[in-house]
């Protein structure tokens, strides 16, 4: 059944021009996995007949059950193209055999991290868009991510069958819909002008847009039809292609092309006339079982059916006919091979995005040239659970060199710093594996440009890593991936039976590996915390934890918990002072909120501790109106030395100030991690050191005296600056028909959400609603919404920003005060906040 | 309460005379110091009168000299042997609450004191609690209530006789081991405890003995064959003090209620105490990430402390971490913050002062037992908890499980390198010709941010200091002219003289 062997596959791996690494990305339910099936079927891994129903890449039981993809799945496919098909291919190639390393990714926003991991190791993306629903929020998110990674996209307008069977729209209307879909996608792509990548917009007339029906396994690009008609009209293919899209009309009565609709009833748009109508006709004939009409038509099209297939009726017949006439695989393959870059092309411009080190060292050059003889550079983007429980494959992409069984590699983890030994291991690869459908094949080695799974490194890699040869000590790692979602929803887990704790610990360790996003940590109170992007994500994680990673041992999970941030509203009402334990040193401080946008700038890394001070002060003075000198007096950022809070020195002429700087910084790191309100992280606070009085003897102004004092004075200044809580807020996008709007609004109101955009999709009865919804209120939101709209509305939530809660946490009885009390109770702290008088001292 | 009986003057005098001690140190905790003169006077009178009778019998007794000791360096629950040796004392009489940790050199006599308890009320709580549960009950108590246990026991028997329904009710009581402690130079062979009745002479140190004998602090009890601690409900008579915390942590698998004799109330909610265990678990996880460890010497008296310190040192160096030993007396946040390079402190002290609530401390303070969990690779938290470090001495030190896997840190949510393994491997390579080249490379390397001091990144004290932004006096003067002299501040720290007017403003 399988049309290729591991040996064949391995052979093509050396032809770097004949490889395409691509991911399939789209909004949830736009048909990625279904479409992938057709490609897999063409490679002979599953039967053509069941393509579209199997969802080959949804390997997990819960994926099949829920009908959504959860993990991205890689698959290597081998195709042999005909000479004729490749006739017009201008790029470099090496024979007619092609290797497609394809990764099917999940569409649900909670699993965006899987998409990110997939994009990193591919060079091209097949963007699937439902022709009816159009470009949705997740389409946009993943598309932006792809372009950010310099992934070249091609588009397929999917679910064409809905146009013909369900909606029965006429040609012109359908064209308008398709045109709009493509336009919307292009609007997003146009924002990514990139001289190296070139024009990334897609055009049907250039063959970068396909039209497909994943469920029925057929697809076409305009090339298919152009070829067919070119000879008939006696024009060349390229010319024909152009006529088949856009403002080109044909009137069969006059046999003339015009650029405007002449108004004659027979005048139709080229696309409608030559592509849409013929398909519609064939489908109608099949559905009505008019076989007498069908066979001659098929003969004219050059389609031959097998005899047993001729007995089919209705839908199966239609499916079979369409598959034979316009096989999805060939249209899509052709599009990929022609328009997506090979690794050797892609790595030329991607090296800048990928490599952290200097772009002219041997490693950068090896990546740029996709050099199999160069040093090994391999990025592990995710870990895949192996069938043997507890172990993982390290799945990644070889960017240069070769990785082989038994090779000793240098593993650079995410915290690795060149020149240091932190997060660095030297281990050997036990086995190199490639994926062929559901089974894995061991190969001797894998050269650059390919995806690969490695065995034996899982005990040193948490989520991702850069691998290189043992001796390559100068290599810098490949840049870490940037996720579009963040883990804002958390649950505490504990085991039902206390003695299962080791199992839980082991399980959490494995869970942390199996998912690119999930964070398994421990709280100050000693509770194990799992943090994920959303409710669904957590649900899947918990299920995996219990069933797969803990062998079914029972766990108790808490209600979902959301972490808050502490900030201030105004400048401190007065300069506060705290004395050291020996009363000989005094720190004076004030807190004030950071300028709007500054905290985000720090989050994004535009401003940080590692900047050149000059550059930093330039940004601060130009964008945020800081005094130039002041910008140079930033002592530190925190928490964790990079957080969105800072200490600024405002003192003048203080003796020994330099000496206590480290101690103040240490106190600040500590205090900004655990704010005064509820020991949540601080955010967006600037602490200004106003004055310092120090003892003349060094021994009396040591760390012991200053660190606790710095912490106290920071708390005091926070409490005098109108402290407030920040809560995380989701951006929710909902697509629903008009009659569901009432239900959506009422649910959103009830959940403290507010709608800020409501647009009707042109040409559809669907509305697009965008709203902000506090993450705290989002638990159960999906199901409530589904219930209120009888299943017509399906929300996609992405963390968007931190929103200040207006009520005063210091005022007893307020909502924020209640929240603070709850958090403190959960953390096992004293329920009452420590009063200001504990932190502030009087002279 | 009668003064004489509360301070057990007569018993103390008898003890001192029977052993012919001539120089005796009386150790008082701060809260009892006010009574010290009365105690000395009473004790002296008692000794004198006793000696008179004694002298008539055998004569030749020398005068007993009494010294009052106060303000102990470490916890006041431990016998301050060092202080006693300063006056060449032969024996220490310890007053007030005690942890009964074995002493090294001197014999000690303990006067615990007696706290009032309402026996009928206690019985009522106990029996009503027993009725609601079908498990056996084990009664444990604070030492200050030990004197009343006999009454409670009798009263309970009485009560159960009256009502037949409670016939099957089984209540066990723990016994107090002793109030006299002989010195023990060899902590391994014996705890040095002398049971007045001569029962407890075995060398079971702590925890589970083969014959179901349990001991915690000074309480001992035996369970019948086949019974486990988990089968019992613990009923604690006493206040919510470190003693109780020790019990809760050690027997964290049992249900525990506390009878508060001061308020005559049964406290069934001990979740706060249980929380401590989780918190300790977190501290262990945190300690695993530490690179520099400080050992705090929290006792100079408890038997085996030196051995423990050495054992800890071996453990930590074995785990590839740097260790410093610090003696700071009783630790407080300000003292420990003087060592910001330490990522974690191990506090070697008696069981009842061992748990320091680390919330106020910059770095966590853990017990030797927790250190064993944290630094002994491959050891896992099973729920068992040992407070007294004597129990750890015998435990086999390092059962090196050569696990291949890198260590997973729950604080950072990922694998973190383990210094030792890395060090060994890469260290080897560096020996030889490459070493110099590598060192040079490091010297020339641009530090990405010299002024960011992040906890837990440096490997040793010197490395930490090298990363500090302040490196000592700055000798860069812009001009070579001498600075004009300035008049400094004068006055007291609470408000210097030049700040007097500022005070008015505020």
């Amino acid at each position: 059944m399988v049309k290729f062997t591991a040996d064949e596959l391995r052979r093509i791996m050396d032809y770097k021009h004949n490889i395409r690494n691509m991911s399939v990305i789209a909004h949830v339910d736009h048909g990625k996995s279904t479409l992938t099936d057709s490609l897999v079927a063409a490679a002979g891994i599953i039967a053509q007949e069941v393509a579209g129903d199997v969802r080959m890449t949804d390997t997990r039981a819960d994926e099949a059950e829920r009908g959504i993809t959860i993990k991205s799945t890689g698959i290597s496919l081998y195709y042999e193209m005909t000479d004729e098909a490749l006739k017009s291919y201008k790029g470099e190639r090496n024979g007619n055999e092609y290797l497609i390393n394809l990764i099917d990714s999940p569409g649900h926003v909670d699993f965006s991290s899987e998409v990110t991991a997939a994009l990193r190791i591919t060079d091209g993306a097949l963007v699937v868009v439902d022709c009816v629903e159009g470009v949705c929020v997740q389409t946009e998110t993943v598309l932006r991510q792809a372009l950010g990674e310099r992934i070249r996209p091609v588009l397929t307008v999917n679910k064409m069958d809905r146009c013909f069977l369900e909606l029965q729209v006429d040609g012109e209307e359908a064209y308008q819909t398709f045109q709009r879909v493509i336009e919307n996608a292009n609007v997003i792509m146009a924002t990514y002008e990139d001289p190296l990548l070139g024009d990334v917009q897609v055009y049907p007339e250039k063959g970068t847009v396909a039209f497909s029906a994943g469920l029925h396994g057929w697809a076409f690009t305009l090339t298919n039809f152009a070829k067919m008609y070119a000879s008939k009209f006696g024009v060349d293919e390229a010319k024909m292609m152009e006529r088949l899209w856009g403002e080109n009309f044909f009137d069969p009565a006059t046999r003339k092309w015009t650029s405007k609709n002449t108004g004659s009833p027979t005048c139709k748009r080229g696309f409608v006339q030559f592509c849409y109508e013929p398909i519609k006709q064939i489908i109608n004939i099949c559905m009505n079982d008019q076989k007498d009409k069908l066979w001659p038509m098929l003969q004219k099209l050059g389609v031959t059916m097998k005899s047993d297939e001729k007995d089919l009726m209705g839908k199966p017949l239609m499916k079979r006919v369409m598959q034979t006439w316009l096989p999805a695989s060939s249209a899509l393959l052709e599009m990929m091979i022609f328009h997506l870059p090979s690794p050797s092309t892609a790595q030329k411009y991607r090296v800048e995005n990928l490599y952290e080190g200097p772009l002219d060292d041997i490693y950068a050059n090896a990546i740029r040239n996709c050099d199999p003889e160069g040093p090994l550079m391999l990025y592990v983007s995710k870990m895949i659970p192996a069938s043997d429980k507890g172990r993982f494959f390290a799945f990644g992409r070889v960017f240069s060199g070769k990785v082989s069984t038994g090779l000793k590699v240098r593993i650079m983890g995410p915290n690795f710093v060149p020149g240091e030994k932190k997060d660095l291991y030297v281990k050997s690869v036990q086995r190199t594996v490639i994926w062929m459908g559901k089974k894995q094949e061991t190969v001797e080695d894998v050269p650059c440009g390919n995806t690969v799974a490695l065995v034996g490194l899982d005990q040193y890699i948490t989520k991702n890593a850069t691998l290189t040869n043992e001796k390559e000590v100068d290599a810098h790692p490949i840049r870490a991936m940037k996720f579009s979602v963040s883990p804002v929803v958390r649950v505490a887990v504990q085991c039902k039976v206390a003695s299962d704790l080791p199992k839980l610990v082991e399980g959490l360790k494995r869970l942390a590996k199996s998912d690119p996003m999930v964070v398994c940590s421990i709280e100050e109170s000693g509770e194990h915390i799992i943090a994920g992007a959303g409710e669904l994500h957590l649900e899947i994680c918990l299920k995996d934890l219990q069933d797969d990673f803990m062998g079914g041992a029972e766990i108790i999970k808490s209600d979902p918990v959301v972490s808050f941030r502490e900030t201030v509203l105004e400048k401190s009402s007065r300069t506060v002072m705290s004395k050291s334990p020996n009363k000989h040193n005094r720190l004076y401080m004030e807190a004030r909120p950071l300028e709007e946008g500054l905290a985000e700038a720090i989050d994004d890394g535009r401003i940080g501790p590692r900047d050149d001070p000059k550059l930093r002060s330039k940004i601060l003075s130009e964008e945020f109106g800081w005094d130039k000198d002041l910008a140079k007096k930033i002592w530190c950022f925190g928490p964790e030395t990079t957080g969105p809070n800072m200490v600024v020195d405002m003192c003048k002429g203080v003796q020994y100030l330099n000496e206590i700087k480290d101690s103040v910084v240490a106190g600040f790191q500590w205090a900004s991690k655990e704010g005064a309100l509820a020991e949540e992280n601080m955010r967006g606070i600037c602490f200004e050191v106003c004055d310092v009085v120090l003892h003349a003897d060094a021994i009396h102004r040591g760390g012991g005296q200053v660190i606790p004092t710095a912490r106290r004075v920071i708390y005091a200044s926070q409490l005098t600056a109108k402290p407030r809580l920040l809560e995380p807020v989701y951006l929710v996008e909902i697509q629903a028909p008009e009659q569901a709007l009432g239900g959506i609004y009422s649910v959103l109101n009830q959940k403290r959400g507010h709608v800020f955009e409501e647009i009707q999709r042109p040409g559809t009865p669907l509305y697009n609603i965008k709203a902000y919804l506090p993450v705290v209120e989002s638990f159960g939101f999906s199901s409530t919404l589904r219930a209120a709209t009888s299943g017509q509305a399906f929300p996609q939530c992405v963390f968007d920003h931190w929103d200040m809660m207006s009520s005063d946490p210091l005022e007893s009885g307020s909502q924020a005060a209640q929240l603070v009390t709850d958090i403190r109770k959960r953390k096992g702290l004293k329920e009452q906040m420590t009063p200001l008088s504990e932190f502030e001292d009087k002279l | 309460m009668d003064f004489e009986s509360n301070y057990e003057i007569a018993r103390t005098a008898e003890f001192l005379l029977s052993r012919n001690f001539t120089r005796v140190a009386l150790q008082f905790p701060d809260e009892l110091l006010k009574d010290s003169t009365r105690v000395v006077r009473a004790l002296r009178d008692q000794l004198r009168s006793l000696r008179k009778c004694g002298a008539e019998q055998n004569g030749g007794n020398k005068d007993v000299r009494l010294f009052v000791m106060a303000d102990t360096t470490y916890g006041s629950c431990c016998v301050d042997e060092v202080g006693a040796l300063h006056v060449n004392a032969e024996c220490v009489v310890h007053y007030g609450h005690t942890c009964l940790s074995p002493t090294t050199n001197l014999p000690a006599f303990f006067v615990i004191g007696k706290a009032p308890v309402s026996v009928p009320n206690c019985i009522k709580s106990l029996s009503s609690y027993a009725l609601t549960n079908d498990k056996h009950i084990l009664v444990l108590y604070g030492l200050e209530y030990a004197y009343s246990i006999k009454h409670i026991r009798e009263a309970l028997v009485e009560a159960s006789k009256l009502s037949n329904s409670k016939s099957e009710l089984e209540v066990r009581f723990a016994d107090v081991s002793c109030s006299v402690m002989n010195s023990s130079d060899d902590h391994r062979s014996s705890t040095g405890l002398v049971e007045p009745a001569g029962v407890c002479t075995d060398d079971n140190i702590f925890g589970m003995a083969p014959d179901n004998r349990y001991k915690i602090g000074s309480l001992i009890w035996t369970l019948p064959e086949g019974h486990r601690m988990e089968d019992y409900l613990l009923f604690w008579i006493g206040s919510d003090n470190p003693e109780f915390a020790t019990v809760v942590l050690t027997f964290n698998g049992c249900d525990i209620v506390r009878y508060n004799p001061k308020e005559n109330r049964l406290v069934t909610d001990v979740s706060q105490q249980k929380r401590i265990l989780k918190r300790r678990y977190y501290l262990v996880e945190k300690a695993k990430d530490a690179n520099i460890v400080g050992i705090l010497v929290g006792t100079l008296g408890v038997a085996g402390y030196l051995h423990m310190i050495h054992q800890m040192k071996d453990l930590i160096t074995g785990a590839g971490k740097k260790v410093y030993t610090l003696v700071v007396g009783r630790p407080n946040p300000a003292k420990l913050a003087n060592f910001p390079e330490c990522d974690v402190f191990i506090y070697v002290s008696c069981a009842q002062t061992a748990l320091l609530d680390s919330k106020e401390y910059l770095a966590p303070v853990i017990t030797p037992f927790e250190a064993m969990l944290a630094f002994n690779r491959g050891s896992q938290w099973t729920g068992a908890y040992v407070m007294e470090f004597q129990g750890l001495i015998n435990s086999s030190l390092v059962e090196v499980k050569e696990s291949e896997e890198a260590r997973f840190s729950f604080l950072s949510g990922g694998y973190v390198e383990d210094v030792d393994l890395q060090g060994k491997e890469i260290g080897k390579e560096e020996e030889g010709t490459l070493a110099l080249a590598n060192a040079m490379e490091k010297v020339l390397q641009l530090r990405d941010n010299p002024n960011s001091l992040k906890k837990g990144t440096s490997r040793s004290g010197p490395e930490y200091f090298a990363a500090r932004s302040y490196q000592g006096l700055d000798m860069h003067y812009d001009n070579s002219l001498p600075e004009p002299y300035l008049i400094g501040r004068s006055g007291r720290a609470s408000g210097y003289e030049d700040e007097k007017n500022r005070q008015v403003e505020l």
Side-chain angles (χ1 to χ4, degrees), chain B residues 74-89:
Chain B
Y74 303 102
S76 57
C77 62
C78 300
V79 177
D80 184 4
E81 287 185 78
V82 177
L85 286 172
H86 277 301
V87 292
N88 287 327

Side-chain angles (χ1 to χ4, degrees), chain A residues 531-553:
Chain A
E535 220 184 346
L536 180 63
H537 184 210
L538 272 186
E539 194 185 324
I540 300 291
C541 287
L542 285 168
K543 196 183 148 291
D544 280 358
L545 174 67
Q546 186 164 355
D547 298 351
D548 296 348
F549 303 134
M550 283 179 66

Side-chain angles (χ1 to χ4, degrees), chain A residues 73-93:
Chain A
T73 315
I75 188 165
S76 295
L77 304 171
Y78 161 84
Y79 297 99
E80 198 162 350
M81 302 293 282
T82 56
D83 279 327
E84 204 207 328
L86 288 170
K87 179 170 76 190
S88 52
Y89 183 68
K90 301 289 186 297
E92 274 186 83
R93 66 188 171 97

Side-chain angles (χ1 to χ4, degrees), chain A residues 501-531:
Chain A
L501 185 67
K503 262 192 207 165
L504 178 68
V505 168
E506 190 60 32
L508 287 170
K509 198 157 81 182
R510 289 181 194 160
L511 177 65
K513 268 193 239 181
S514 72
D515 188 291
M517 166 64 62
V518 78
V519 179
C520 298
S521 58
I522 186 167
E523 281 244 307
E524 290 263 318
S525 59
E527 283 171 310
H528 281 287
I529 301 286
I530 302 177

Side-chain angles (χ1 to χ4, degrees), chain A residues 210-415:
Chain A
F211 300 87
S212 58
L215 195 62
H216 297 164
W218 57 267
F220 66 91
T221 59
L222 295 187
T223 333
N224 293 57
F225 285 94
K227 266 185 201 148
M228 211 186 320
Y229 295 113
S231 50
K232 201 170 158 194
F233 283 96
V235 288
D236 69 33
E237 263 181 58
K239 186 92 179 153
M240 194 62 211
M241 288 265 277
E242 272 167 40
R243 283 183 178 168
L244 286 177
W245 193 254
E247 304 301 305
N248 290 302
F249 297 83
F250 185 73
D251 194 338
T254 57
R255 293 187 62 82
K256 278 236 167 62
W257 286 95
T258 48
S259 62
K260 263 206 301 243
N261 194 338
T262 54
S264 129
T266 46
C267 179
K268 278 180 187 164
R269 197 180 286 274
F271 176 76
V272 178
Q273 181 84 41
F274 297 109
C275 306
Y276 194 80
E277 299 273 318
I279 295 172
K280 194 174 171 186
Q281 213 178 345
I282 295 264
I283 288 179
N284 283 342
I285 290 172
C286 290
M287 292 305 281
N288 299 333
D289 286 331
Q290 296 160 304
K291 289 196 181 170
D292 47 335
K293 278 193 194 167
L294 182 63
W295 305 134
M297 278 192 81
L298 288 180
Q299 204 157 16
K300 238 197 272 175
L301 291 167
V303 177
T304 44
M305 304 285 290
K306 292 194 197 107
S307 55
D308 57 331
E309 288 165 352
K310 289 187 177 174
D311 302 333
L312 292 168
M313 303 280 275
K315 225 175 187 168
L317 174 69
M318 183 272 288
K319 194 176 164 186
R320 202 59 221 130
V321 168
M322 290 305 289
Q323 273 178 5
T324 324
W325 179 31
L326 299 166
S329 56
S330 58
L332 294 175
L333 276 175
E334 194 184 292
M335 183 160 76
M336 289 176 215
I337 289 167
F338 276 62
H339 300 288
L340 293 182
S342 71
S344 90
T345 319
Q347 285 179 205
K348 279 195 182 71
Y349 51 81
R350 285 190 73 197
V351 62
E352 285 175 41
N353 292 41
L354 292 169
Y355 191 55
E356 260 189 3
L359 289 172
D360 52 359
D361 68 2
I362 54 162
Y363 308 100
N365 281 329
I367 295 176
R368 189 174 290 122
N369 301 331
C370 193
D371 182 3
E373 303 308 320
L376 174 69
M377 288 301 276
L378 189 156
Y379 189 77
V380 175
S381 76
K382 65 172 285 179
M383 307 293 284
I384 302 172
S387 49
D388 125 35
K389 290 266 179 220
R391 300 308 296 264
F392 289 82
F393 292 107
F395 187 66
R397 152 98 175 251
V398 191
F399 285 101
S400 74
K402 265 181 197 171
V403 64
S404 56
T405 302
L407 182 75
K408 255 200 164 180
V409 291
R410 215 170 126 84
I411 307 172
M412 296 181 269
N415 299 318

Side-chain angles (χ1 to χ4, degrees), chain A residues 28-40:
Chain A
V28 63
D29 247 358
H30 281 195
K32 289 173 298 298
S33 304
T34 315
L35 200 59
T36 309
D37 262 7
S38 334
L39 292 174
V40 175

Side-chain angles (χ1 to χ4, degrees), chain A residues 429-729:
Chain A
V429 177
Q430 282 174 10
R431 241 161 11 104
T432 47
V433 171
I434 50 172
W435 240 263
M436 295 191 8
K438 284 190 177 173
K439 63 180 199 298
Q440 302 109 34
E441 294 281 348
T442 306
V443 289
E444 189 53 39
D445 60 352
V446 173
C448 58
N450 290 285
T451 51
V452 65
L454 305 171
V455 180
L457 303 179
D458 58 334
Q459 294 189 315
Y460 305 92
I461 304 174
T462 320
K463 290 177 197 293
N464 38 57
T466 307
L467 308 189
T468 182
N469 294 108
E470 190 191 355
K471 296 287 172 212
E472 307 292 352
V473 289
D474 297 327
H476 287 245
I478 286 173
R479 195 158 285 147
M481 295 185 286
K482 208 170 174 190
F483 295 112
S484 61
V485 285
S486 28
V488 280
V489 185
R490 303 135 50 89
V491 283
V493 286
Q494 61 184 92
C495 26
K496 216 164 197 173
V497 189
S499 55
D500 278 346
L501 185 67
K503 262 192 207 165
L504 178 68
V505 168
E506 190 60 32
L508 287 170
K509 198 157 81 182
R510 289 181 194 160
L511 177 65
K513 268 193 239 181
S514 72
D515 188 291
M517 166 64 62
V518 78
V519 179
C520 298
S521 58
I522 186 167
E523 281 244 307
E524 290 263 318
S525 59
E527 283 171 310
H528 281 287
I529 301 286
I530 302 177
E535 220 184 346
L536 180 63
H537 184 210
L538 272 186
E539 194 185 324
I540 300 291
C541 287
L542 285 168
K543 196 183 148 291
D544 280 358
L545 174 67
Q546 186 164 355
D547 298 351
D548 296 348
F549 303 134
M550 283 179 66
E554 277 190 89
I555 49 174
I556 310 170
K557 70 171 176 92
S558 72
D559 287 336
V561 177
V562 173
S563 57
F564 288 77
R565 294 285 182 269
E566 297 181 16
T567 191
V568 294
L569 191 60
E570 291 174 3
K571 198 176 173 69
S572 294
S573 55
R574 58 176 185 275
T575 306
V576 289
M577 182 269 283
S578 299
K579 286 181 190 173
S580 62
N582 65 9
K583 315 286 183 219
H584 284 287
N585 307 284
R586 295 200 283 275
L587 298 180
Y588 295 84
M589 234 185 232
E590 277 175 22
R592 65 172 178 86
L594 285 179
E595 284 77 7
E596 207 172 316
L598 186 48
E600 286 73 23
I602 298 172
D603 281 343
D604 298 343
R606 277 208 302 134
I607 299 173
R610 293 176 184 207
D611 297 342
D612 175 18
K614 276 192 199 122
L615 213 72
R616 185 201 293 160
S617 80
K618 188 165 173 259
I619 300 180
L620 282 174
S621 61
E622 281 172 8
E623 284 181 41
F624 300 103
W626 278 47
D627 188 83
K628 272 222 150 129
D629 294 327
L630 189 61
K632 285 178 186 153
K633 287 188 165 176
I634 297 174
W635 272 5
C636 64
F637 296 83
E640 309 293 338
T641 69
T642 52
N645 303 285
M646 52 175 101
V647 179
V648 182
D649 166 28
M650 305 277 273
C651 315
K652 289 192 179 67
V654 173
Q655 262 185 312
Y656 318 123
L657 187 64
N658 283 335
E659 210 178 313
I660 65 154
K661 187 177 153 188
D662 289 324
S663 303
V664 174
V665 170
F668 165 71
Q669 296 300 351
W670 185 11
S672 57
K673 204 169 164 197
E674 302 171 353
L677 297 178
E679 298 201 351
E680 295 282 337
N681 285 2
M682 293 186 186
R683 183 182 169 81
I685 313 183
C686 176
F687 293 98
E688 298 177 341
V689 185
C690 304
D691 194 9
V692 176
V693 179
L694 294 170
H695 194 276
D697 290 345
I699 190 73
H700 292 304
R701 52 168 198 258
Q705 297 300 327
V706 178
I707 295 173
T709 316
R711 177 172 177 247
R712 287 175 62 227
V713 75
I714 283 168
Y715 285 159
S717 48
Q718 185 198 357
L719 289 177
T720 50
K722 299 219 167 148
R724 288 290 182 273
L725 283 181
L726 294 173
E727 64 170 346
V729 174

